[in-house]
Amino acid sequence: MWLKPEEVLLKNALKLWVLERSNEYFVLQRRRGYGEEGGGLAGLLVGTLDAVLDSTSKVAPFRILHQTPDSQVYWSIACGANREEITEHWDWLERNVMKTLSVFDSNEDITSFVQGKIRGLIAEESKGSLDREEDPEKFREALMKFEKCFGLAEPEKLVTYYSCSYWRGRVPCQGWLYLSTNFLGFYSFLLGAEIKLVIAWDEISKLERTSNVILTESIHVCSHGEDHYFSMFLHVSETFLLMEQLALYAIRRLFDKETFEGDPVLHDPLQITKRGLESRAHSEQFNAFFRLPKEETLREVHECFLWVPFSHYNTLGKMCISENYICFASQDGSLCSVIIPLREVVAVESSDPTSKAVSISTKGMKAFRFSEVRDFELLVTKLRSRCGAASSPQHVANVEVAAGPSPDSLLEYYEGQPIASHKGNSKTVSTEALMTVFHPQDMENLDSKMLKEKMKEQSWNILFIECGRGVSMFRTRKTRDLIVRGIPEMLRGELWLLFSGAVNDMATNPGYYAELVERSLGTCTLATDEIERDLRRSLPEHPAFQSDTGISALRRVLTAYAYRNPKIGYCQAMNILTSVLLLYAKEEEAFWLLVAVCERMLPDYFNRRIIGALVDQGVFEELIREHLPQLTDHMTDMTFFSSVSLSWFLTLFISVLPIESAVNVVDCFFYDGIKAILQLGLAVLDYNMDKLLTCKDDAEAVTLLNRFFDSITNKDSPLPPTVQQASGANDAKSLHPKVDITDLIRESNEKYGEIRFEDVESMRRRNRLYIIQTLEVTTKQNVLRVISQDLKISPSDLEDLYELFKKEHFLSCYWSMNSPALKHHDPSLPYLEQYRIDCQQFRLLHHLLSPWAHCANKDSLALWTFRLLDENLDGLINFKEFACVLDTMYYGSFTQKLKLLFKLHIPPAFTEVESLSPSKGAQLSKEELIHFSLLN
């Protein structure tokens, strides 16, 4: 354990302690007579002394001392009851502190820093134990320090705090990091020097974990172009997780209103807690990994073994349990995972107490056996109660989960389900995949390609016999191998529905799509107009979309989704994706696949600012720097990769590849998510590396890649030539050798398959901060460019004025979800209208900036000025209106200023303020200002 630093004179201690390890600044000692045979007379005496002392006076057998060169005074900083404990402390010091001490100029500074660091660690450990015990006193003390040090508004809520070091140049300063709902704060007071730092979460453009020679495991924060480094955390992973959650929460709440309004979990900033943030982060990762509905919350995690019957062995992994699902993912490299909806569970038993086993039986006579489960009896009781709740009518799905060789597909189990039972729907909603209608398989005349297709189907049937079929099937490395080869045409819709998680949405929302179709038919909105315009641009070469059958199905799915999610409505590229979904899935299934893609697998892709696509392009650039450095060195501008790859991400390569090849990419996407698209993008660039390095400009590189995509074929595709896009007409023109899509996908897996899901999600979170801030900078530049032409204020002053205006806008948003500024903020509005302030905010800025704010009736002038600017009477003014009036006050001619004053004293600006409030003269209360600002 760490000890409060106390002086030790080694001259008196050498007889009692033996040196074990040492370096320039620390010494590890062992108590003489401990852990040694014999030990001589001195060891015997020391051992006897320790034995007769009572428990309060006994000395730990190991300790660590801090020393500085040429000093006889040492400081005890840690002790240990055994070698393992003290070694852990020693290793931490070498890893986190040793390299840092070399930057100090004097021994006194080194000692002061080490003492402060150790005291911080002790407080951190005690805080951790107090957190577990939920002791409010310690937190209340920290809250008082936080409020005293930073002087923020009373509603600002402290979430948690950590001991750490903040780097000023090359020198670390030991202190406390405070994390609140809207701000990151650091405070240190050592040797008479006070350091205070406050950064709003919405100002952070980069937040990442870094390490270098001096800073081991530090957290890097970038705000307004300034870099800040924090290190020496006791629990750096926990700290970074909470910082990331708070930063993303602020960004989504203040900048990304489209996403936040549909996210009730963190709706009230005053309800944020450390435990809630950690739970949210783990639930988001859990839902993304297993493709579960966003509403699921991770409740329990158990490390255990799952019996894999077809391999006859137990695989180690983690069982993750939410309200409606039991999931398992292996940790031994076998890539085995299972998803068990509780609606499918028919029995839960504790089968073998000696091995702490839990057996779960599902519909279709299938059983799963988990062993070495901690508190397995309690878990069985919980699962039984949840399964009883989960069998209510809205959760029951008539989908059989078969473990045998049944050839019936998952799709067939939906035949006769609610969509067909709704009156009139059988005539308006298609119940067949378009591919089965426009390209039925000829079972009598099988050519070589159809024979290969049948062999693929047979491989999947063998897999179904081993791993089961349906939502609870085992997903293993063999599953991925078959995915890489391409899913057979007859199974594509079923497996897309399964691997995307759309099967769960469809099962728990019976009849939902039919209702949407009925309610949305005949609606006329901007989205429906755009849909009508793009209908015949969606795979126009395919026979299915040259007929009314395909066009009508596409119209219904897109219109129903726009009705379901008006925040997204309709976005270009959705029509191309939906067309491909309709080829292989029934209409209702295509709708739920679209929901899975737009709302889970590609979040924020299909909104007005396509933030999600921009984020993933940032991730793609990071991966290019890591895996293809020679290409990065050659390119002078990385934005080339963003511009050329945007359509890859938005359409999952469908817009650049022939349809018979693109569907193989979609197969991989539904199984591996965005990771599959990133891997394929890297493989495309790698394949064309040599030619790209010789390109003289971006246009030549784009042409090269387009020719490459034209040369991609799918030699095993059973589609007829009339459907395939890679026609023989292009063969003679193309000088590029043909590349088979299966080979390209296989190569992308072999070369870049080590990219982990967790790393991709981490890069997504990191890039989201940067992308949002980049868009904010663009907004500012556009606003300043538009209004600077009409003003005399200098560009630098105008930029400062914009930042002040924007900050005042946000100050009203920090502590209330109901502020008019936040309610009216919409990033999709024209640049000038995105940030607006109300009367009270204008009053504060007027008193701070106006040259007329020194007169006796300044409140009246502020009110009248606001009423003059608020021409549309919505109680808000934009930055242009604000800047124009200040420009007149400071730089206008005498006539212009006089004209402004005259307008302020006539309606609609003028109000008889004094007569309504004679006792207060010209000073108005906040309530009176609000009252007058709302008068027409």
Side-chain angles (χ1 to χ4, degrees):
M1 60 181 292
W2 300 107
L3 301 174
K4 182 178 179 181
E6 292 184 358
E7 284 190 25
V8 174
L9 290 175
L10 279 192
K11 184 170 63 176
N12 300 327
L14 286 175
K15 296 176 182 178
L16 302 178
W17 296 89
V18 178
L19 181 66
E20 290 267 313
R21 297 190 197 178
S22 68
N23 57 40
E24 189 176 0
Y25 297 108
F26 299 101
V27 173
L28 192 158
Q29 296 179 332
R30 172 178 51 80
R31 187 78 164 169
R32 191 179 292 275
Y34 180 86
E36 60 182 19
E37 296 182 3
L41 181 60
L44 182 62
L45 292 173
V46 173
T48 304
L49 180 66
D50 290 343
V52 298
L53 289 174
D54 62 30
S55 60
T56 60
S57 305
K58 283 187 177 179
V59 180
F62 294 96
R63 70 178 182 179
I64 297 176
L65 307 178
H66 164 60
Q67 64 173 350
T68 52
D70 306 322
S71 174
Q72 289 296 314
V73 178
Y74 285 52
W75 298 83
S76 62
I77 58 173
C79 67
N82 53 58
R83 194 178 299 276
E84 290 74 20
E85 181 184 359
I86 205 68
T87 301
E88 183 180 342
H89 285 50
W90 179 268
D91 291 343
W92 190 91
L93 289 169
E94 286 194 328
R95 201 168 53 244
N96 293 280
V97 178
M98 273 297 297
K99 296 174 183 176
T100 305
L101 299 181
S102 60
V103 305
F104 290 99
D105 296 327
S106 67
N107 291 339
E108 289 77 11
D109 289 344
I110 291 173
T111 300
S112 176
F113 174 79
V114 171
Q115 290 178 350
K117 185 67 209 170
I118 299 304
R119 290 192 183 99
L121 290 175
I122 294 170
E124 181 78 11
E125 286 184 335
S126 63
K127 177 179 80 75
S129 62
L130 287 166
D131 281 349
R132 287 190 293 273
E133 297 166 8
E134 298 184 353
D135 185 340
E137 288 301 321
K138 200 71 177 179
F139 191 85
R140 190 175 295 117
E141 181 182 338
L143 178 61
M144 291 175 62
K145 289 182 180 178
F146 170 73
E147 293 172 344
K148 179 181 178 182
C149 291
F150 301 106
L152 298 172
E154 186 177 344
E156 183 64 18
K157 180 179 179 180
L158 177 65
V159 176
T160 189
Y161 57 101
Y162 296 97
S163 168
C164 72
S165 295
Y166 171 64
W167 289 76
R168 299 187 69 183
R170 293 175 55 85
V171 179
C173 306
Q174 181 62 32
W176 289 93
L177 180 72
Y178 295 90
L179 309 181
S180 66
T181 50
N182 297 292
F183 298 95
L184 174 158
F186 177 84
Y187 185 80
S188 172
F189 187 83
L190 289 173
L191 301 176
E194 183 183 55
I195 299 171
K196 188 185 298 184
L197 175 72
V198 180
I199 303 173
W201 292 117
D202 58 82
E203 296 173 349
I204 293 176
S205 59
K206 183 179 286 187
L207 178 64
E208 60 183 353
R209 288 174 65 173
T210 60
S211 61
N212 54 39
V213 176
I214 296 178
L215 294 178
T216 304
E217 284 284 61
S218 62
I219 296 177
H220 172 212
V221 177
C222 181
S223 171
H224 293 300
E226 294 185 11
D227 294 312
H228 307 276
Y229 291 90
F230 303 89
S231 67
M232 301 189 194
F233 293 96
L234 191 61
H235 304 292
V236 66
S237 297
E238 174 191 300
T239 309
F240 181 75
L241 175 74
L242 290 171
M243 291 174 70
E244 193 174 59
Q245 285 288 304
L246 285 165
L248 289 170
Y249 164 69
I251 288 292
R252 291 170 69 183
R253 178 169 176 257
L254 301 176
F255 296 135
D256 196 11
K257 184 181 176 185
E258 290 173 300
T259 304
F260 188 83
E261 283 190 342
D263 187 358
V265 178
L266 293 176
H267 204 64
D268 185 355
L270 301 181
Q271 299 302 316
I272 295 176
T273 62
K274 175 186 174 184
R275 185 173 297 174
L277 288 170
E278 290 175 336
S279 173
R280 178 184 175 82
H282 295 143
S283 294
E284 286 178 346
Q285 187 177 13
F286 165 71
N287 292 336
F289 184 83
F290 291 107
R291 311 277 163 72
L292 300 180
K294 291 189 296 184
E295 298 76 21
E296 291 299 308
T297 301
L298 181 62
R299 298 295 186 187
E300 298 179 50
V301 178
H302 298 272
E303 190 168 279
C304 62
F305 290 90
L306 172 63
W307 174 249
V308 185
F310 50 88
S311 298
H312 302 288
Y313 79 102
N314 281 307
T315 179
L316 175 65
K318 288 186 177 179
M319 179 201 296
C320 305
I321 302 172
S322 65
E323 296 92 339
N324 299 301
Y325 297 89
I326 303 168
C327 303
F328 177 88
S330 65
Q331 295 176 284
D332 57 5
S334 64
L335 302 180
C336 176
S337 64
V338 170
I339 300 170
I340 310 171
L342 292 184
R343 65 177 184 269
E344 297 290 324
V345 175
V346 294
V348 181
E349 303 292 339
S350 53
S351 57
D352 185 3
T354 57
S355 60
K356 301 177 182 178
V358 176
S359 293
I360 298 173
S361 301
T362 63
K363 298 172 184 177
M365 303 300 290
K366 190 172 181 182
F368 299 88
R369 185 178 184 274
F370 301 91
S371 58
E372 300 301 327
V373 182
R374 187 184 72 250
D375 299 329
F376 70 103
E377 291 176 336
L378 179 61
L379 178 62
V380 167
T381 304
K382 288 180 181 178
L383 290 178
R384 282 175 178 168
S385 62
R386 286 189 187 176
C387 290
S391 60
S392 56
Q394 69 265 27
H395 289 291
V396 172
N398 298 319
V399 183
E400 182 181 350
V401 182
S406 169
D408 299 330
S409 72
L410 185 63
L411 306 179
E412 292 172 353
Y413 292 116
Y414 289 109
E415 292 288 356
Q417 290 305 303
I419 189 163
S421 64
H422 278 255
K423 185 177 180 180
N425 281 335
S426 58
K427 297 180 180 179
T428 60
V429 177
S430 172
T431 56
E432 293 293 333
L434 294 178
M435 193 62 77
T436 62
V437 177
F438 289 89
H439 177 45
Q441 292 188 4
D442 186 357
M443 301 303 295
E444 295 181 359
N445 302 310
L446 297 179
D447 57 14
S448 60
K449 290 186 176 180
M450 283 306 301
L451 286 172
K452 286 186 178 179
E453 187 75 1
K454 290 301 172 186
M455 291 172 63
K456 279 187 182 179
E457 289 182 21
Q458 186 60 29
S459 297
W460 278 95
N461 286 330
I462 293 171
L463 181 76
F464 292 149
I465 293 172
E466 293 181 351
C467 302
R469 187 169 189 168
V471 67
S472 298
M473 72 179 289
F474 284 88
R475 304 165 197 212
T476 64
R477 192 184 300 276
K478 187 175 180 180
T479 313
R480 174 177 277 111
D481 292 341
L482 290 179
I483 293 283
V484 169
R485 289 169 52 189
I487 298 176
E489 302 278 310
M490 294 298 293
L491 296 175
R492 192 161 262 141
E494 171 188 349
L495 294 178
W496 283 0
L497 203 67
L498 175 65
F499 295 139
S500 66
V503 63
N504 294 313
D505 296 321
M506 186 171 170
T508 53
N509 293 278
Y512 177 81
Y513 175 67
E515 287 181 26
L516 274 187
V517 170
E518 283 190 2
R519 281 156 41 193
S520 62
L521 280 179
T523 57
C524 186
T525 63
L526 178 61
T528 57
D529 291 342
E530 292 176 342
I531 290 169
E532 288 298 325
R533 185 188 63 213
D534 287 346
L535 281 177
R536 300 192 182 276
R537 303 177 187 175
S538 310
L539 299 186
E541 66 288 336
H542 198 286
F545 299 101
Q546 296 169 1
S547 72
D548 186 60
T549 303
I551 293 295
S552 298
L554 181 60
R555 178 188 291 113
R556 285 192 295 270
V557 172
L558 291 174
T559 305
Y561 186 79
Y563 190 88
R564 164 191 165 87
N565 193 342
K567 289 296 177 185
I568 292 179
Y570 170 76
C571 177
Q572 281 191 332
M574 288 172 68
N575 60 319
I576 298 174
L577 175 62
T578 308
S579 300
V580 175
L581 299 178
L582 281 167
L583 288 178
Y584 295 98
K586 298 175 187 177
E587 191 175 315
E588 184 182 13
E589 295 162 351
F591 170 79
W592 287 114
L593 283 168
L594 183 63
V595 170
V597 171
C598 294
E599 298 177 15
R600 287 201 306 272
M601 300 185 72
L602 297 179
D604 302 337
Y605 261 60
F606 301 102
N607 55 25
R608 295 178 181 89
R609 299 192 291 173
I610 59 171
I611 289 175
L614 297 176
V615 167
D616 283 343
Q617 285 184 299
V619 174
F620 188 48
E621 288 182 14
E622 275 194 57
L623 293 172
I624 293 172
R625 292 189 189 96
E626 180 181 348
H627 295 279
L628 304 173
Q630 61 273 48
L631 195 59
T632 307
D633 296 339
H634 176 73
M635 292 290 178
T636 55
D637 187 2
M638 288 292 286
T639 56
F640 163 75
F641 298 112
S642 297
S643 59
V644 77
S645 66
L646 182 60
S647 63
W648 305 357
F649 291 96
L650 281 174
T651 66
L652 307 179
F653 283 92
I654 296 171
S655 63
V656 294
L657 288 177
I659 183 63
E660 66 275 10
S661 299
V663 290
N664 285 39
V665 178
V666 180
D667 294 342
C668 298
F669 168 74
F670 279 128
Y671 191 78
D672 273 330
I674 194 62
K675 176 176 173 285
I677 305 301
L678 294 167
Q679 288 177 185
L680 185 60
L682 291 173
V684 167
L685 296 179
D686 188 27
Y687 195 96
N688 294 277
M689 174 77 71
D690 296 337
K691 293 180 180 178
L692 285 171
L693 293 177
T694 61
C695 290
K696 299 180 178 62
D697 53 39
D698 291 353
E700 186 178 351
V702 170
T703 303
L704 169 68
L705 291 174
N706 287 338
R707 287 176 180 168
F708 172 74
F709 288 130
D710 289 339
S711 71
I712 292 179
T713 63
N714 186 349
K715 64 179 186 295
D716 295 332
S717 174
L719 297 181
T722 55
V723 175
Q724 295 193 27
Q725 295 176 356
S727 64
N730 293 331
D731 293 350
K733 298 178 183 178
S734 176
L735 299 177
H736 206 293
K738 293 299 178 184
V739 179
D740 189 72
I741 186 63
T742 305
D743 296 335
L744 188 63
I745 291 175
R746 184 179 292 112
E747 185 176 333
S748 74
N749 269 275
E750 291 173 354
K751 286 191 174 181
Y752 309 109
E754 76 279 1
I755 297 173
R756 298 166 61 242
F757 162 82
E758 294 83 359
D759 295 335
V760 171
E761 291 300 313
S762 176
M763 286 188 280
R764 273 180 154 181
R765 292 190 293 270
R766 182 166 65 245
N767 277 280
R768 176 172 286 274
L769 292 174
Y770 174 75
I771 293 297
I772 293 284
Q773 294 293 357
T774 301
L775 292 173
E776 286 299 305
V777 171
T778 302
T779 298
K780 179 176 74 173
Q781 292 171 345
N782 286 324
V783 169
L784 298 181
R785 185 179 66 252
V786 167
I787 69 174
S788 61
Q789 303 169 0
D790 304 323
L791 304 179
K792 297 178 182 178
I793 301 175
S794 68
S796 60
D797 288 344
L798 194 61
E799 184 173 352
D800 292 341
L801 197 62
Y802 179 88
E803 294 293 345
L804 197 61
F805 183 90
K806 180 178 169 182
K807 177 54 68 177
E808 188 60 42
H809 164 91
F810 279 152
L811 284 174
S812 72
C813 307
Y814 282 156
W815 302 290
S816 172
M817 284 301 300
N818 299 318
S819 69
L822 185 62
K823 184 178 178 182
H824 290 84
H825 172 56
D826 187 347
S828 65
L829 291 174
Y831 293 119
L832 287 173
E833 301 298 320
Q834 288 189 21
Y835 294 114
R836 293 180 287 177
I837 57 175
D838 59 20
C839 184
Q840 176 64 11
Q841 293 170 301
F842 176 80
R843 171 178 170 271
L844 295 173
L845 289 177
H846 179 274
H847 292 356
L848 178 67
L849 300 171
S850 172
W852 300 350
H854 303 289
C855 61
N857 62 338
K858 60 182 181 181
D859 283 327
S860 302
L861 275 178
L863 171 62
W864 297 338
T865 306
F866 182 85
R867 290 172 60 83
L868 179 66
L869 297 176
D870 185 20
E871 294 181 358
N872 60 359
L873 303 179
D874 65 351
L876 298 165
I877 64 170
N878 63 34
F879 179 68
K880 182 178 182 180
E881 295 163 338
F882 175 73
C884 285
V885 75
L886 282 182
D887 185 70
T888 302
M889 291 178 180
Y890 276 99
Y891 300 104
S893 63
F894 178 78
T895 304
Q896 290 171 326
K897 293 178 182 178
L898 197 61
K899 187 177 179 181
L900 175 61
L901 279 171
F902 178 74
K903 286 183 177 181
L904 294 179
H905 288 79
I906 60 173
F910 181 73
T911 306
E912 291 290 347
V913 174
E914 289 78 12
S915 63
L916 292 175
S917 185
S919 62
K920 298 181 182 177
Q923 296 296 320
L924 292 175
S925 69
K926 176 181 175 181
E927 290 73 19
E928 288 171 322
L929 274 168
I930 294 174
H931 169 73
F932 289 129
S933 70
L934 296 176
L935 294 175
N936 292 325

